[in-house]
Every structure is written in structure tokens, then in C-alpha cells.
Amino acid sequence: MTKKLFIRTYGCQMNVYDSARMADVLGPLGYAAVETPEAADMVIVNTCHIREHASEKTFSELGRLKQIKQDKSGEYIIAVAGCVAQAEGEEILARAPYVDIVLGPQTYHRLPEMVARAERGAAQNRLRNEVGAGRKVAGLGILDTDFPVEAKFDFLPAPTGAPGVTAFLSIQEGCDKFCTFCVVPYTRGAEYSRSVAQIVTEAEQLVALGVREVTLLGQNVNAYHGDGPDGTAWTLAQLAYRLAEIPGLERIRYTTSHPRDMDDALIAAHGDLPQLMPFLHLPVQSGSDRILQAMNRQHTADHYRRIIDKLRTARPDLCLSTDLIVGFPGESDADFQATLQLVRDVTFPAAFSFKYSARPGTPAATMAGQVEEAVKEARLAELNAVLQTQLTDFNRALVGKTLPVLFEKAGRHAGQMVGRSPYLQPVHVQGAADLIGQVRLVEIDQDHSFSLSGRLVAGPVPDVPPAAMRMTA
Ligand code: SAH
Ligand code: SF4
Ligand code: F3S
């Protein structure tokens, strides 16, 4: 009999990847995915600790699951995974005693043993229910938040299922940068890079399942330094050239990069490899050197600008997205103006902007000069207005251009297909289902708030876009 699994995923793309891998790990135990927590026998909440708001979602979700567990008279396994589990494992078990399993991001290869124990607990509840001994929702309280010496990647099965046209592939995990606002070095642990051989194998497996685009993931993906086939540590640039040799892999992206690790070889790869998409997420956080220093970012605003210049020289159609924090402790109006200036100078057609959120245990949480909520709100609104204009201008400028689009699925309307531009905007055209998995040229005729539409045009997709397709001079 198949057992039913529901996974709720919060947080970053790595959590999305981890959730897919947890499903792969549990497949051999007979678990298949279902669409709702009510329909499941087991539920995993994969959590994010990055900001207070993200973290709070864990406990409200657990409250809802408690009710389901009660309705099912305890015959229900609740697991909490991810970064809140890592940071607050004990607290979760204390506050939510109906939880059966708490596991960190580095131990999910051990899920089968934990689930086997939890299944015995659920079976005992079933027996109690059968003899009319009443409901028992208490969980088993299994906690595994080690940073084990063995790497989970060495124990994971091959990806299964139907990943679609585009898939994530974790190549690097953890972080040694210790930005003073950030929990990631504590929740994900020290930097670790998978071997080139393991990554190439997984990419080939994905391509065999129909994937045409991989997004290489890492908290610090461009700090990648995995074992290469020649016994030396390979860089992300070297890995990108190797992956570009895989037949059928049309597009390669990577996220998230740190400006410190944006080396010349990787910048050159953007000029050389048509598979490397000309859209890069490069968080800058602030435009003020004083604040960047207090954040321990290890780069200045000028250093960031120089990297952008080099990237645009190597690949003139390259566009950027970024992460920005407003209201970091000590941020003055002048510091904030420096951030606005940098945003205006670089231009970001996409960006994630956040109010600084104090995270327990991080150095910035106890720094002097915490900024008032109202000031953070005002700065965020001002920043977002500038970013919104840049997004609108960018999309508008695409009208009339011809872009290569990788088609992913049918649209909502009859005869409509949807793909993605190099810049990740959804692009709608009228076309047939055999477009799925193909890269085709589309002349853009309309921009909408979050998407574009256009018509297919004949012709081969050029490796390097001609000037008419370029977004920047
Ligand atoms: N290196 C990872 C970081 C993930 S966190 C990556 O770069 O993807 C993603 C973004 O969340 C960070 O770039 C930062 O802008 C934001 N962030 C992290 N901690 C934060 C905090 N305490 N308050 C507000 N935003 C934060
Ligand atoms: Fe966090 Fe900084 Fe590491 Fe990114 S580089 S994960 S922001 S500590
Ligand atoms: Fe959140 Fe952990 Fe990702 S804190 S952003 S899920 S690395």
C-alpha cells in the first residue's frame, strides 16, 4: 500500500531542492506525494529561519497540523526539517510536543531510520484507537540536527519523478562568510562542495528525465571548490565549462553568488558559454561602504561596480538582480541614499528588498543604532518605488526585441504555451505542445506586469545575441 507524503516548503531554492530530495529518499519506503496535508499520512514542514517573519510561519503551520493529527487520532507523522529545525530544534519539541521528527538540513539522508521509528509510534496509536483507548497526539520527539561528518549527498538516491524542463541542482552548501545579519552559517554549517563527478552524473540524470535547464544552487555558489576529475579542486567556472559539454543541457544558471568570489575566470565563462544565461543574481545588500563593513560583506560599493563593468564587457546583454537590506543597525539617511545611488547606477530589472530583521545569535542583533520600524518602512517603500520603475522600464524595452525562450508548459488559455526568457520572465505565445523543452525565438509584442507575450519567429537561436537583442549598450 502506498503511504502518502505532503511536503510544505518555505524559504530559498535550496529548500525546494531539499524537499524534492527528501521525497526521493522516502520513495523506497513507499511514500508518494499528495496535494494536501489532510490527504497525507506524513507531512514534512521544510522551514526557513532567515527573517523573523519567515520563521514565524513554522509555528502557525504546526498549529494547523496539530488539528489534523487530532482528527486522525494520532495516526499521522509530523516532521520539521530545514533551517528553523536546525536553529530551534529543542524549542520546537517543547512548543509543539505533537511533532514526531525534527531534522536539520544536513541529516535528511537519515530520514528512513527516523521515519521507521515514527511509523512504529503511529502504529501504536492505531492499536490504541482500535481498542478504544482514545486519542494520543503526543509526538515521538526524534531530534537529529547534527552536522554529520559524512556528506548527505553521498547517500542520496538518483533523482526520480518528472522534474519538468528546468530543475535545481545543489552543488555547494553552507557558508563561511558570516555576514553579521545572517543565520545561514549557523543553520547550514560550513561550506561544502560536491565533487564534479557527482554533479555531472546528477545533471546527466536530470537531462535524461527531460530537463533542459539546470540552476546550480549554493548559499555561496561561486565559492564552489569541489574535487575535480584530475584530483585538483575545481572552480565554478571549470564546472560550468564541463556541464556545457552535456548534450541536451541548453541552459545553465547559478545562484546565489557573493561579490567576493566573482573571479575573472567565471566572468570570462559568461563571455564564452552560450549556455550560461545572461542573468545573474548578485546580492549587494547596501551601497554604503560603512554599512557594508558593519555587515562584514568584505567588499565595497566600488568593488561591486567594477565587477558589473567586467561582466558587461564579457557579456553585453547581461542583466542583474540583487538582494538589498534597508535599516541595518547604524544606517543613516546618507547611507540609504548611497544604496539608492548604487541601484540607479547599476539598474536591476529584478531585486529582493528586505527590512533588516534582527536574528537571535547574530552579531548585528545586538549592535547599537537599531533602526526604528517606521524608518525601515519608509526606506523600503522609497527603494521599492525605484526598483519598480526599473522593472517596468526593463520589460517595456523588451517589446519589439527577439528573445530565445525555453518553453516549459501549456498556458492557461487554449493553444497558449509558456516559456522563460533569458531573464526569467514568463513569455506567452500561441503554439503547440511540442514546443515544451525547446528553445525558440520569440518576438516580444507586449509587456504585462510580471510576464511578456509575443509570437514565434523562424530561425536558429544564435549563440551570442546580435546587438538588436541586447539590453545594454
Ligand atoms: N548567501 C545566501 C543568503 C540567503 S539569504 C544567498 O545569498 O542566497 C537571502 C537574502 O536575505 C540575503 O541576501 C539578504 O539580503 C537577506 N537577509 C539575510 N538575513 C537577513 C536579515 N537578518 N534581515 C533582512 N534580510 C536578510
Ligand atoms: Fe548569509 Fe552572507 Fe553567507 Fe549569504 S554570504 S549566506 S548573506 S552569511
Ligand atoms: Fe531560509 Fe535556510 Fe534558505 S534560512 S533562505 S531556508 S538557507
Side-chain angles (χ1 to χ4, degrees):
M1 202 181 71
T2 43
K3 294 171 272 190
K4 301 182 188 77
L5 172 68
F6 177 79
I7 306 183
R8 173 89 69 205
T9 307
Y10 297 108
C12 62
Q13 289 123 321
M14 191 163 289
N15 261 12
V16 175
Y17 174 86
D18 288 345
S19 289
R21 301 320 308 273
M22 285 193 273
D24 290 339
V25 167
L26 293 177
L29 272 70
Y31 282 92
V34 291
E35 297 289 316
T36 64
E38 288 81 8
D41 303 304
M42 168 166 172
V43 56
I44 302 175
V45 187
N46 197 6
T47 60
C48 175
H49 195 56
I50 200 80
R51 285 167 291 274
E52 196 180 349
H53 181 65
S55 228
E56 277 166 0
K57 290 182 186 161
T58 305
F59 287 101
S60 42
E61 178 72 13
L62 287 177
R64 287 190 291 272
L65 295 176
K66 179 187 182 187
Q67 186 59 52
I68 300 176
K69 189 165 184 168
Q70 266 165 353
D71 294 345
K72 291 180 185 268
S73 301
E75 295 177 38
Y76 194 60
I77 299 171
I78 301 176
V80 184
C83 290
V84 180
Q86 187 65 48
E88 297 179 7
E90 301 276 2
E91 197 187 332
I92 292 171
L93 291 180
R95 274 177 70 178
Y98 44 90
V99 166
D100 296 284
I101 298 170
V102 173
L103 75 158
Q106 304 309 342
T107 55
Y108 62 76
H109 57 298
R110 298 178 182 164
L111 253 179
E113 301 146 49
M114 298 182 232
V115 172
R117 279 176 63 195
E119 281 178 343
R120 287 197 289 276
Q124 275 162 10
N125 284 351
R126 189 167 309 127
L127 286 176
R128 283 172 60 88
N129 293 329
E130 276 165 16
V131 298
R135 294 172 172 201
K136 178 176 173 295
V137 291
L140 282 192
I142 301 164
L143 177 71
D144 189 352
T145 50
D146 286 357
F147 287 112
V149 280
E150 81 271 12
K152 66 176 176 232
F153 294 109
D154 295 340
F155 297 86
L156 297 179
T160 52
V165 169
T166 170
F168 293 131
L169 201 177
S170 273
I171 66 165
Q172 181 279 339
E173 194 169 349
C175 183
D176 297 341
K177 294 282 191 303
F178 292 92
C179 300
T180 54
F181 52 81
C182 182
V183 294
V184 170
Y186 312 98
T187 64
R188 292 273 166 174
E191 254 181 54
Y192 170 82
S193 296
R194 297 175 74 184
S195 71
V196 172
Q198 213 176 53
I199 294 163
V200 170
T201 301
E202 191 167 321
E204 286 171 345
Q205 287 164 341
L206 289 168
V207 170
L209 291 169
V211 167
R212 294 291 167 263
E213 171 184 86
V214 291
T215 302
L216 308 174
L217 297 183
Q219 265 89 34
N220 237 286
V221 74
N222 58 345
Y224 175 82
H225 57 277
D227 291 340
D230 56 3
T232 67
W234 276 28
T235 61
L236 181 59
Q238 286 171 291
L239 178 68
Y241 284 98
R242 173 65 188 89
L243 291 173
E245 289 171 6
I246 297 177
L249 185 56
E250 305 272 356
R251 290 182 165 186
I252 301 170
R253 302 178 186 273
Y254 57 92
T255 196
T256 298
S257 298
H258 191 288
R260 282 286 301 193
D261 299 312
M262 209 63 226
D263 62 25
D264 287 343
L266 184 56
I267 293 172
H270 275 278
D272 288 346
L273 294 175
Q275 290 92 336
L276 262 190
M277 286 294 100
F279 186 56
L280 180 65
H281 184 61
L282 194 61
V284 65
Q285 316 297 357
S286 168
S288 153
D289 288 346
R290 217 172 59 82
I291 296 298
L292 286 170
Q293 194 175 13
M295 288 175 162
N296 189 31
R297 286 292 290 179
Q298 303 169 51
H299 62 83
T300 62
D302 260 358
H303 178 207
Y304 189 87
R305 285 186 172 90
R306 278 201 303 278
I307 296 168
I308 306 305
D309 287 345
K310 284 196 210 171
L311 277 163
R312 285 181 169 154
T313 305
R315 181 87 207 220
D317 58 331
L318 186 122
C319 290
L320 290 130
S321 67
T322 199
D323 292 341
L324 296 153
I325 296 178
V326 298
F328 184 83
E331 187 187 68
S332 65
D333 273 334
D335 294 318
F336 175 61
Q337 289 305 323
T339 298
L340 287 179
Q341 194 54 51
L342 182 127
V343 168
R344 289 199 184 97
D345 293 346
V346 178
T347 68
F348 298 101
F352 299 94
S353 49
F354 307 105
K355 285 184 290 185
Y356 168 72
S357 167
R359 306 306 290 131
T362 59
T366 49
M367 280 181 187
Q370 299 287 326
V371 175
E372 273 176 44
E373 191 59 23
V375 174
K376 289 185 196 169
E377 292 276 2
R379 287 182 186 163
L380 186 67
E382 195 176 344
L383 174 62
N384 283 347
V386 175
L387 292 170
Q388 183 57 48
T389 310
Q390 295 190 345
L391 169 69
T392 313
D393 290 350
F394 180 76
N395 283 354
R396 200 163 291 156
L398 286 174
V399 173
K401 305 238 179 213
T402 302
L403 295 175
V405 172
L406 171 60
F407 284 93
E408 294 179 8
K409 57 185 182 198
R412 264 184 294 160
H413 304 294
Q416 190 186 51
M417 301 301 292
V418 193
R420 297 234 178 214
S421 76
Y423 311 112
L424 284 177
Q425 298 113 321
V427 181
H428 299 263
V429 300
Q430 288 299 115
D434 66 354
L435 282 177
I436 293 173
Q438 289 189 47
V439 179
R440 294 283 299 275
L441 292 177
V442 174
E443 190 182 315
I444 305 301
D445 53 27
Q446 245 187 312
D447 76 294
H448 314 278
S449 319
F450 297 104
S451 65
L452 303 167
S453 56
R455 59 180 188 84
L456 291 167
V457 292
V461 177
D463 276 354
V464 176
M469 281 189 207
R470 291 181 189 163
M471 290 311 302
T472 48

